[in-house]
Amino acid sequence: HPAMRVLGFDAPGGRAGAWAVVDSRRGGMLSGVGDVELHDKESEADHYRKLYVVFREAIAVLNVQLFVVEQPFYPVSHRIAQYVGAAKIYAASFRVNWLMLTSSGARKLVLGSGGPGKAAKAEVLSTMIARFGARRITNQHRADAALYALAGVRYYETHGGTP
C-alpha cells in the first residue's frame, strides 16, 4: 500500500481533547500531536472554530488522507457527539475520508486487546508513551488520539484502502 497519513482525534468530553497524526511508513511514525483546549468563557461557536483550525492545519500542513474518531458511547456520548459530528463534517469538507471506531475496536486493532475499564486506559497510555515518547504523549488524550490514528493505519493495511 502507498504511504498514508492518518489523523486520530480524541474528542473533548469535558474541556480537553487531542489530535495525533501517524504516518503509515516505517510502521507508523508520529508526524504531529497536539491538545485541544476548550474554555468555559468561550462561546460554542469559538469551540467549533478552534476545532476547524486544528483540522484545517493537520489536513493541509501534514497532508492527512484519513481521519479516525471515537464512536460516541454512553454515558459520555452527549458530551462528545457534537464534536465528533463537527469533525466528520470538517473531514468531509476537506475531502478526507473518515472512519469511526469504538475505543475497544481501536484497542483490538493496535494492541490486540479490547477490554473496557481503567486498566485499558492505562495500557493505552503506557503503550503510546513507549512507542512515541513521554515528551510527545504527555496525557491520556494524546495517547487516545495516537491510538485512533494507529488504528486507522491498521485498518488501512488490513482492508486495503479507506472506507
Side-chain angles (χ1 to χ4, degrees):
H1 302 293
M4 170 178 265
R5 285 195 172 168
V6 180
L7 171 62
F9 179 59
D10 179 50
R15 294 294 175 216
W19 61 272
V21 175
V22 171
D23 194 319
S24 66
R25 292 176 288 201
R26 295 183 298 261
M29 178 179 74
L30 190 65
S31 299
V33 63
D35 298 309
V36 177
E37 296 287 336
L38 305 178
H39 303 284
D40 289 331
K41 294 179 182 177
E42 298 169 332
S43 70
E44 185 177 11
D46 288 334
H47 293 172
Y48 287 115
R49 280 189 282 275
K50 266 189 181 177
L51 292 177
Y52 178 82
V53 168
V54 165
F55 280 88
R56 183 188 67 210
E57 291 178 4
I59 289 168
V61 174
L62 296 172
N63 193 27
V64 167
Q65 290 90 32
L66 178 64
F67 164 69
V68 183
V69 67
E70 178 179 17
Q71 181 174 327
F73 62 94
Y74 183 80
V76 298
S77 58
H78 71 283
R79 293 194 319 251
I80 70 169
Q82 66 192 33
Y83 300 124
V84 169
K88 289 170 22 182
I89 290 169
Y90 299 153
S93 71
F94 290 112
R95 301 200 184 291
V96 171
N97 288 331
W98 56 265
L99 176 63
M100 194 163 50
L101 294 172
T102 63
S103 57
S104 62
R107 287 193 310 277
K108 283 178 188 172
L109 280 167
V110 175
L111 308 174
S113 63
K118 292 186 187 226
K121 285 279 199 189
E123 180 185 17
V124 168
L125 182 61
S126 64
T127 302
M128 295 302 111
I129 287 172
R131 183 178 183 117
F132 299 122
R135 290 184 62 187
R136 300 191 86 188
I137 305 298
T138 56
N139 59 52
Q140 186 71 53
H141 298 294
R142 285 183 176 202
D144 291 346
L147 174 77
Y148 286 111
L150 278 172
V153 169
R154 297 286 183 272
Y155 182 92
Y156 175 72
E157 291 169 348
T158 57
H159 292 82
T162 59

